[in-house]
């Protein structure tokens, strides 16, 4: 599979690529590796994740991306990051397309190494390339470090988000 981006970061070479079905255990592990995710994710049953992967993989409006780190001293590349990028048509804003980035995760031990910045910048560039007028995201109100991270990248907390668990 071709790499979407290759970048030198602290600790080695970081590469973005489309996720493969075989990446699902690593993706779920990344999603579960915090206080919120640990209560939502259930790696013991991969069937729901596999169904979701098949739906995402079949639809070009949705990208599930993983980031691999190839250590500077050599060794095998490991999946250390992930995100989903979706492209949504809309009537508002004169029929503008928007992108939505979600499930952004970087392995805890690698936060602060520039990996999140590389990923989100790629997503912004891809959104522009596809003609999107804006990019949106939600982040839990308790994730204060994530808020600061996104604000440094130019995102504004312009709306109040709401969710209804079904």
């Amino acid at each position: 599979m071709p790499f979407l981006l290759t970048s030198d970061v602290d600790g080695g070479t970081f590469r973005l690529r489309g996720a493969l079905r075989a990446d699902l255990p690593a993706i779920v592990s990344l999603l579960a590796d915090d206080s919120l995710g640990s209560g939502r994710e259930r790696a013991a049953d991969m069937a729901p994740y596999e169904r979701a992967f098949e739906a995402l993989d079949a639809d070009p409006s949705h990208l599930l991306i993983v980031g691999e780190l190839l250590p500077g001293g050599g060794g095998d590349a490991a999946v250390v990051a992930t995100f989903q990028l979706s492209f949504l048509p809309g009537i508002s804003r004169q029929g503008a397309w928007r992108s939505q980035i979600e499930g952004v995760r970087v392995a805890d031990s690698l936060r602060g190494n520039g990996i999140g910045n590389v990923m989100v910048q790629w997503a912004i560039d891809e959104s522009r390339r596809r003609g999107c007028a804006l990019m949106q995201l939600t982040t839990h109100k308790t994730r204060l470090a994530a808020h600061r991270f996104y604000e440094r990248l130019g995102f504004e907390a312009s709306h109040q988000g709401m969710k209804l668990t079904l």
Side-chain angles (χ1 to χ4, degrees):
M1 170 170 284
F3 295 107
L4 303 169
L5 173 136
T6 300
S7 177
D8 290 330
V9 296
D10 290 344
T13 301
F14 182 70
R15 305 181 299 201
L16 283 181
R17 62 171 172 78
L20 303 171
R21 186 183 195 107
D23 297 320
L24 284 175
I27 293 168
V28 173
S29 178
L30 286 164
L31 292 172
D33 188 26
D34 68 25
S35 60
L36 294 173
S38 65
R40 295 190 291 221
E41 308 305 334
R42 302 282 181 263
D45 180 9
M46 292 300 288
Y49 300 104
E50 291 166 353
R51 286 190 298 274
F53 176 84
E54 294 304 322
L56 290 167
D57 197 45
D59 187 340
S61 293
H62 302 281
L63 303 175
L64 182 59
I65 304 294
V66 294
E68 299 177 334
L69 184 64
L70 185 62
D76 294 330
V79 172
V80 298
T82 190
F83 66 93
Q84 180 179 325
L85 185 61
S86 298
F87 303 96
L88 310 166
I91 296 299
S92 67
R93 295 179 176 250
Q94 302 173 18
W97 279 75
R98 66 188 67 212
S99 65
Q100 180 162 318
I101 189 167
E102 56 187 275
V104 179
R105 298 292 192 281
V106 174
D108 186 49
S109 63
L110 296 171
R111 291 185 191 142
N113 288 8
I115 289 172
N117 184 63
V118 168
M119 288 193 322
V120 175
Q121 288 297 336
W122 180 88
I124 291 168
D125 292 344
E126 181 65 11
S127 298
R128 284 187 177 123
R129 188 186 74 75
R130 291 191 183 212
C132 293
L134 62 93
M135 176 182 267
Q136 62 190 27
L137 62 86
T138 60
T139 183
H140 197 273
K141 59 186 170 181
T142 62
R143 296 185 191 270
L144 301 180
H147 300 176
R148 289 188 300 273
F149 168 73
Y150 290 118
E151 287 169 354
R152 280 195 307 272
L153 293 173
F155 288 85
E156 297 176 12
S158 61
H159 290 70
Q160 177 72 37
M162 295 182 169
K163 292 187 179 190
L164 174 65
T165 301
L166 304 175

